[in-house]
Amino acid sequence: MLVSAVAAMSVVSVLGASRATAHSGLKWGPCPADSALPGLECTTVQVPLDYRKPQGRQLDVAVSRLPSKDPSQRRGVLVTNPGGPGAGGLIYPGLLAGDLSPQPLPRSVQDQYDVIGFDPRGVGHSSPVSCDLTPEQIARRNLWYPADAAGVRKDAKIAKAIARQCATSETAALLPHITTANTARDMDRIREALGEPKISYLGTSYGTYLGAVYTTMFPKRSDRFVLDSNLGPGGYDVTAMRRFGPGLEDRFPDFAKFAAANPQYGLGTTPKQVRAKFFDLAARLEKSPMRGLDGSLFRGITFDHLYSDASMPTLAAMWKALDTNQPMPPEPPPANVDNVISSRLHVICADSKWPSSVRDYQRAVEVNRVKYPLIGAAAANIGPCAFWPSPIERPVRIGGRGPSNVLMVQNLRDPGTPLVGARELRNAFGARARMVTADQGGHGAYLLFARNMCANNTVTTFLTTGHRPRHDVACPAEPR
């Protein structure tokens, strides 16, 4: 998925800040203009570029805070991460708690915590990285669907060029150090700067892996940890990428039912007909692209829109426009896309070792094209990680050592982080974790666009009381 992020500008140091907390030396002041929301205040925390050389070059990490609504009930801090990697989190506390959120963070949670956000290293206002991507490279997004083995070879040349650009850009010195493990270490520096003995945590999507890494590395500094829409214990590795294929197969029937039940879109009167329309449109666009949209981008955009039920009407309207050769509904361009893609690549390519043989990708593409025909060939395709330098440290091994303080929440039909990965992470944590599954589709199981009150209430209860289910919980579908 091509993640939208907070605008990447220069590194921000908040000067002339208003007041320091009673328990830390941080000075809080106004947030950058693109992150300014009511009640949100910002600061910066310095962290080492290389934790093996803690006195060496430092980076500025931009941090935000939404103070407790009722200081008399304040328990501590709730650090948040919206996912990615490549997504800025500075604005996230304001989005979680704001009036525009479909289901905001409950007042009981806002009373007990200062809600903390931050732009991870390399992202947005935290020493942003760049791969000097061209408009043509950006337009490809990150789920390119190869037609055949020759297409994989062509994509390999493009991927290799992007990897070379990342390694030779003005920010290339940061490249080996933009990793999940280092971001977890940065989180602990933020905890220390806040003057807190422990942190609680709410992370979504990639944020589940970041949270899992943090509570593995710093178990005694972890309080109540909520992981929503979970990657497997290997994080955003080649396995996670290829799982987009089965993830979309799991999720697509929800959209097919929606489109079939809404004949105004003209996409078919049965889910089978809607699925056939997908392949018809993809084939037609591959032969004759329309307004810059070809079959590969059509598949990727469909995948992106199925992250949320709320996007289904927009997706159906887009399909209808393509089917009838009409103007498509406008979509705003993502902000600062060079930094979004560049920082995403820095993390996923440095976190683990990816296959480097073009032939291996060609074989995987052909297998996944048959097994998961909606988008499997794109999910298995080669990317810049195949040409990335070897990671400088081993991946963090997620395990069961530490307090039993992790609550996982997961939709059954999630296209981006399918249930199979969540189950693997649950097994890796062992007794440390409990998992709540919700019979609903989409990416994100807690609040915002998620409507399963069984899952929402279980998570809120854990954050506010510390009560965690004795066993894993399966929440049935909510009536429509």
Side-chain angles (χ1 to χ4, degrees), residues 45-312:
V45 173
Q46 283 203 330
V47 301
L49 167 64
D50 186 347
Y51 276 88
R52 299 169 302 179
K53 303 174 182 178
Q55 304 306 317
R57 179 180 173 181
Q58 304 292 298
L59 302 178
D60 282 338
V61 172
V63 180
S64 64
R65 178 179 69 170
L66 195 64
S68 163
K69 299 293 185 185
D70 185 352
S72 68
Q73 296 189 45
R74 183 185 181 278
R75 171 184 174 80
V77 296
L78 179 67
V79 178
T80 62
N81 181 276
L90 200 64
I91 201 172
Y92 195 49
L95 296 178
L96 281 172
D99 294 336
L100 296 180
S101 174
Q103 291 191 87
L105 201 63
R107 176 62 187 261
S108 58
V109 177
Q110 295 188 53
D111 285 346
Q112 292 197 28
Y113 298 97
D114 294 344
V115 185
I116 305 296
F118 68 104
D119 281 354
R121 58 168 57 203
V123 178
H125 297 284
S126 296
S127 307
V129 295
S130 172
C131 291
D132 299 325
L133 299 172
T134 67
E136 293 76 18
Q137 290 168 337
I138 289 171
R140 290 172 59 86
R141 301 166 76 101
N142 70 322
L143 280 175
W144 199 255
Y145 195 93
D148 49 28
V152 177
R153 287 196 300 272
K154 177 182 177 182
D155 293 339
K157 294 179 181 179
I158 297 171
K160 188 174 184 178
I162 293 173
R164 186 183 306 113
Q165 289 167 214
C166 297
T168 56
S169 75
E170 290 186 2
T171 61
L174 278 64
L175 185 141
H177 307 291
I178 307 299
T179 66
T180 299
N182 278 335
T183 301
R185 295 179 179 112
D186 294 346
M187 283 174 54
D188 203 57
R189 286 296 181 102
I190 292 171
R191 176 202 59 78
E192 185 178 16
L194 292 170
E196 299 288 338
K198 294 183 177 182
I199 63 171
S200 292
Y201 180 80
L202 173 61
T204 301
S205 189
Y206 162 75
T208 63
Y209 182 58
L210 174 60
V213 168
Y214 179 90
T215 197
T216 297
M217 295 174 68
F218 305 102
K220 295 182 179 179
R221 299 170 192 169
S222 306
D223 193 9
R224 299 169 182 171
F225 267 54
V226 174
L227 309 181
D228 177 1
S229 305
N230 296 267
L231 286 166
Y236 229 132
D237 57 8
V238 65
T239 299
M241 183 67 72
R242 290 177 181 176
R243 281 178 174 161
F244 288 162
L248 185 55
E249 297 288 344
D250 291 343
R251 173 60 165 158
F252 189 83
D254 291 338
F255 174 70
K257 291 176 184 176
F258 167 82
N262 288 272
Q264 68 270 26
Y265 296 114
L267 303 177
T269 59
T270 67
K272 184 177 180 179
Q273 290 176 349
V274 176
R275 185 177 174 91
K277 180 63 69 175
F278 173 91
F279 293 109
D280 172 56
L281 289 172
R284 285 158 55 186
L285 289 167
E286 199 58 53
K287 291 181 180 178
S288 302
M290 293 176 58
R291 294 178 287 276
L293 184 67
D294 62 12
S296 184
L297 288 175
F298 167 76
R299 292 173 188 264
I301 289 172
T302 296
F303 176 81
D304 286 355
H305 278 77
L306 292 186
Y307 270 47
S308 169
D309 286 356
S311 297
M312 286 186 182

